[in-house]
Amino acid sequence: MRPSSKTQTDGSVGRRVAGGAATVVLGLTMALAGGTAVPAVAADSAGPSGVVLGVGADETQRIVSWYSTEDTAQQLQVAPTATLVGGEFPAGAATFAATGGANITSGGGYNRHATVTGLKENTAYSYRVGSEGNWSPVHTFKTRDFEGDYDFLFLGDPQIGSSGNAQKDGAGWADTLKVATEANPDAELLVSGGDHVESANNEEQWTSFLAPEQLRQVPLAATIGNHDVGGKAYEQHHFTPNTDKSDAYYDKDAATRSGGDYWFIHKDVLFIDINSNAQSDTKDAQHVGYITDVIKKHGSEAKWKVLVYHHSIYSPASHSYDQGNKDRRKNFTTEFSDLGIDMVLQGHDHSYSRSYALKNGQKADPSEQPGQAEVYPGPGGVIYVTANSASGSKYYDIRKPDGSGTGVTGNGPDPLNPDNFWFNSVENQEHVRSYVRVKVRSDKLVLENVRSGTCDAPNPAVDNGNVPCSNPDKPVGSVVDKVTVHPYNGDGQSLQVNVPDAAPGEFGWTIDGYNGLVDLGTAKERDGDHFEAAGRINPIRVTDSRRSLSPWSVSANVSDFQDAGKKFSASYLGWKPYVLNGGAGAKAASAVASGYDDKGAGLSVSRGLASAEQGHPRGEARLGADLDLKIPDSVDKGSYRATLTITALSS
């Protein structure tokens, strides 16, 4: 199954009913919780430092990591911001014990981390780390609705120190985070593409990377890059959930090197992050095994699958010629297609690219055009994205294709745009900072590469004269590239019927127009004991030009409505069929009541939509039906989905 996500509008918690011609998603509304942020209080100069808010296993968790100068028992203290008085935490504030150990770095000190569990949705929280008398400043974050649409931001290679001036690099990184979060105040995650610093164990560079307050306000899903892998500092600063740190995923010596593969779920998106520094045919197979195992165990809990790793295998710059990346193409691409990965996010090449929809290492649809704004990958189609530098510390110029062709490892030209590699729909390098915004919606993913800077400072690689700026006229916030990725709807998310054109003298039927999601609106509470929602199916077009004038009928049934482990019966769904445009002798079938009203089976069993008798005239009809959903208020909150199966019979 390929996933769609749940719906939320205008910031409210929505239990909305939405679906494809065969899929319905349901949610109920509740009010947002809020609170006022508490000003930070000063910490002891020898107190905790390097505090960073990380993702947890799901949206109810956060992992906080930090450094300390003393090897003492420490904890993470958390409370709803609204319960703080004068900056003081209430007596009942939750505390979580920290674990960690001595730092394996030249800077010394100790690392700590703790996991917050049991978070509530739509709540502002304040937190601090340390111990009595030696707390960090107070930081805040806010949870959002645990159901529905959301945005996350993908940030490529800050690599603090790579321009030759770590202070300038840090300024560029801080400015991108400021610009991106101010433009997207409701973004729920920051996802990195790796290479946080130039030198893995340089704590001055790590301090610059961790300086922006946004890294304590919005959870970061960290990715390890090749510049992060020279020591343990990456792991000491970023404790990640569900992580496999076996020797297979380390580069060289597991005792001194960082890395591992990990996964988490955030609002029906399954994120899998791998340490691509561990690379060989054997290690690539182990990565694929890890991804396969995670999807086998947890893929049904998510509606989208997003894979993240550092080394871009379809980038536009010099690393596209690396043998390791060519080997990864051979070892990864078919497996990613088979596993139903929707999108792969990568860094490493300090330039921006967006691939065509690729299936098994080849272009899925040869007719897809360069820069196409609406993409329908189909089953097995994967979009690969490379992010440019978020700090401006280093840019790589786009390389020209060679004569190696369009095979799995080829870097030949695109027949539709010979200046680009065959695999890339869009390539861009302006020597300007940027970030990628991903909008997760109920029926699509919308990806945008957005400029976070201009030619002006802070733009370290340009400021230092390392490269010239090539696009001085585009303002901050302008969009480099935008694409809407539509999911494949043929395996149960929404009604997708592949019916060939009816030959002359034959009977045929198809969905009238694009098989989009059917929006049943927001379920409304009625009479204090149930919820109601209504909508209509996408019209069905029936054509019958047979000389025999034989009878025909169209019927349908609906599967249980389900959201992960929660479900309710399709017996609660009824309908009232009608004929939109008469022809082919079409007559609407009788209405079917919701089982909530008559204790019947509703659409959980096959029900007629329309039919025609023997001897009917030849022609075409358009059939529709109004949907009537009534469910008891005991149904759990969720974003539910069901499959409507259409059956046509004719003698």
Side-chain angles (χ1 to χ4, degrees):
M1 295 177 66
R2 299 287 302 278
S4 66
S5 66
K6 298 163 284 188
T7 302
Q8 176 184 344
T9 60
D10 300 329
S12 63
V13 179
R15 298 200 95 179
R16 299 191 55 176
V17 182
T23 300
V24 180
V25 180
L26 171 65
L28 303 177
T29 60
M30 66 180 289
L32 286 170
T36 303
V38 174
V41 297
D44 189 302
S45 60
S49 62
V51 179
V52 58
L53 181 69
V55 295
D58 58 30
E59 59 274 2
T60 71
Q61 298 184 7
R62 301 287 188 272
I63 298 176
V64 181
S65 303
W66 67 94
Y67 272 12
S68 66
T69 57
E70 302 294 333
D71 189 14
T72 57
Q74 297 180 43
Q75 59 190 10
L76 166 64
Q77 191 171 60
V78 183
T81 301
T83 66
L84 271 68
V85 178
E88 294 296 324
F89 279 73
T95 57
F96 300 89
T99 59
N103 287 339
I104 306 176
T105 69
S106 58
Y110 303 86
N111 63 87
R112 296 287 187 267
H113 66 269
T115 301
V116 183
T117 60
L119 295 172
K120 305 300 183 184
E121 61 186 353
N122 300 309
T123 304
Y125 286 97
S126 294
Y127 69 98
R128 60 186 181 180
V129 300
S131 58
E132 290 298 331
N134 196 21
W135 291 109
S136 72
V138 175
H139 306 289
T140 62
F141 66 88
K142 184 177 181 180
T143 61
R144 310 290 176 174
D145 189 346
F146 291 167
E147 310 281 351
D149 298 347
Y150 73 101
D151 299 352
F152 69 87
L153 308 179
F154 179 57
L155 302 144
D157 297 61
Q159 204 166 329
I160 305 300
S162 64
S163 76
N165 189 316
Q167 184 175 4
K168 288 184 177 181
D169 297 347
W173 168 238
D175 193 60
T176 287
L177 286 178
K178 179 177 182 293
V179 165
T181 55
E182 287 181 353
N184 304 277
D186 294 326
E188 299 190 20
L189 298 174
L190 304 175
V191 180
S192 88
D195 276 3
H196 300 157
V197 294
E198 170 72 8
S199 302
N201 283 329
N202 187 317
E203 286 299 338
E204 291 183 0
Q205 294 174 4
W206 279 107
T207 297
S208 183
F209 170 79
L210 294 170
E213 185 63 18
Q214 290 84 358
L215 295 179
R216 283 163 286 287
Q217 298 171 336
V218 185
L220 172 69
T223 299
I224 188 166
N226 58 296
H227 282 265
D228 304 319
V229 84
K232 281 293 189 184
Y234 168 86
E235 284 183 359
Q236 293 166 181
H237 284 297
H238 303 293
F239 192 87
T240 53
N242 303 314
T243 306
D244 186 341
K245 294 184 178 180
S246 59
D247 290 353
Y249 305 117
Y250 284 86
D251 180 48
K252 299 181 181 178
D253 184 2
T256 60
R257 303 298 176 105
S258 290
D261 292 1
Y262 74 95
W263 65 272
F264 66 98
I265 292 177
H266 188 83
K267 291 173 67 167
D268 279 337
V269 177
L270 172 61
F271 289 89
I272 305 175
D273 193 297
I274 66 172
N275 176 11
S276 57
N277 297 287
Q279 198 279 318
S280 66
D281 288 348
T282 299
K283 290 180 178 180
D284 287 348
Q286 290 169 320
H287 288 308
V288 170
Y290 178 86
I291 297 167
T292 301
D293 185 62
V294 171
I295 290 175
K296 180 179 179 180
K297 293 178 179 176
H298 303 283
S300 62
E301 301 169 27
K303 297 176 183 176
W304 299 96
K305 301 177 184 69
V306 174
L307 183 62
V308 188
Y309 55 84
H310 180 62
H311 294 80
S312 176
I313 62 176
Y314 292 116
S315 61
S318 58
H319 285 307
S320 62
Y321 285 94
D322 291 352
Q323 186 59 48
N325 278 335
K326 292 184 178 183
D327 291 341
R328 291 183 184 94
R329 292 185 205 168
K330 290 189 299 182
N331 296 335
F332 284 166
T333 52
T334 295
E335 285 75 9
F336 292 172
S337 293
D338 291 344
L339 290 168
I341 301 296
D342 296 290
M343 185 175 290
V344 178
L345 303 176
Q346 309 150 112
H348 195 49
D349 224 4
H350 299 254
S351 52
Y352 173 76
S353 65
R354 182 245 297 181
S355 77
Y356 291 108
L358 301 179
K359 180 178 182 180
N360 302 336
Q362 298 293 331
K363 192 174 177 182
D365 178 5
S367 67
E368 184 184 341
Q369 297 298 301
Q372 188 167 306
E374 303 278 337
V375 178
Y376 300 82
V382 184
I383 306 295
Y384 294 80
V385 178
T386 308
N388 204 349
S389 172
S391 68
S393 64
K394 183 194 292 185
Y395 302 108
Y396 290 154
D397 287 325
I398 292 173
R399 294 283 296 273
K400 293 295 184 182
D402 61 16
S404 57
T406 59
V408 172
T409 62
N411 282 348
D414 179 5
L416 301 178
N417 184 8
D419 289 335
N420 282 12
F421 292 109
W422 69 266
F423 40 76
N424 279 336
S425 174
V426 176
E427 299 177 351
N428 177 269
Q429 181 56 278
E430 301 169 347
H431 303 147
V432 168
R433 292 180 285 116
S434 67
Y435 66 94
V436 175
R437 173 171 56 215
V438 180
K439 300 179 178 180
V440 181
R441 299 295 180 261
S442 60
D443 59 344
K444 55 183 172 280
L445 294 174
V446 182
L447 182 143
E448 298 171 286
N449 187 44
V450 183
R451 297 176 180 90
S452 57
T454 64
C455 289
D456 298 332
N459 194 7
V462 173
D463 301 342
N464 293 345
N466 299 341
V467 293
C469 188
S470 58
N471 195 352
D473 300 325
K474 300 296 184 180
V476 171
S478 55
V479 175
V480 176
D481 175 43
K482 180 177 180 179
V483 63
T484 300
V485 182
H486 296 274
Y488 177 63
N489 288 324
D491 54 2
Q493 290 184 55
S494 63
L495 183 60
Q496 176 71 42
V497 182
N498 298 317
V499 179
D501 292 335
E506 293 187 359
F507 170 79
W509 63 278
T510 188
I511 300 168
D512 188 17
Y514 171 64
N515 178 24
L517 296 177
V518 175
D519 188 354
L520 300 186
T522 301
K524 304 294 185 182
E525 187 173 5
R526 302 292 187 214
D527 300 329
D529 60 3
H530 74 283
F531 290 86
E532 295 183 4
R536 57 186 56 180
I537 67 170
N538 291 323
I540 306 296
R541 186 184 299 272
V542 174
T543 58
D544 192 355
S545 59
R546 297 171 299 171
R547 298 178 183 273
S548 64
L549 307 180
S550 298
W552 59 264
S553 65
V554 176
S555 59
N557 66 284
V558 178
S559 68
D560 285 345
F561 288 75
Q562 191 160 357
D563 178 12
K566 301 174 291 188
K567 67 180 179 180
F568 63 84
S569 172
S571 64
Y572 293 122
L573 182 65
W575 72 0
K576 183 179 180 180
Y578 49 82
V579 176
L580 285 161
N581 299 110
K587 294 182 180 179
S590 299
V592 176
S594 165
Y596 186 84
D597 289 329
D598 67 0
K599 309 302 181 185
L603 294 183
S604 65
V605 298
S606 182
R607 303 289 191 174
L609 178 64
S611 62
E613 299 175 349
Q614 174 67 40
H616 65 79
R618 284 182 267 179
E620 179 180 278
R622 291 175 68 241
L623 313 176
D626 290 331
L627 299 173
D628 175 29
L629 181 66
K630 296 179 181 178
I631 57 175
D633 61 6
S634 59
V635 171
D636 291 334
K637 176 185 176 183
S639 189
Y640 293 85
R641 193 172 67 202
T643 301
L644 175 69
T645 302
I646 301 290
T647 303
L649 299 174
S650 179
S651 58

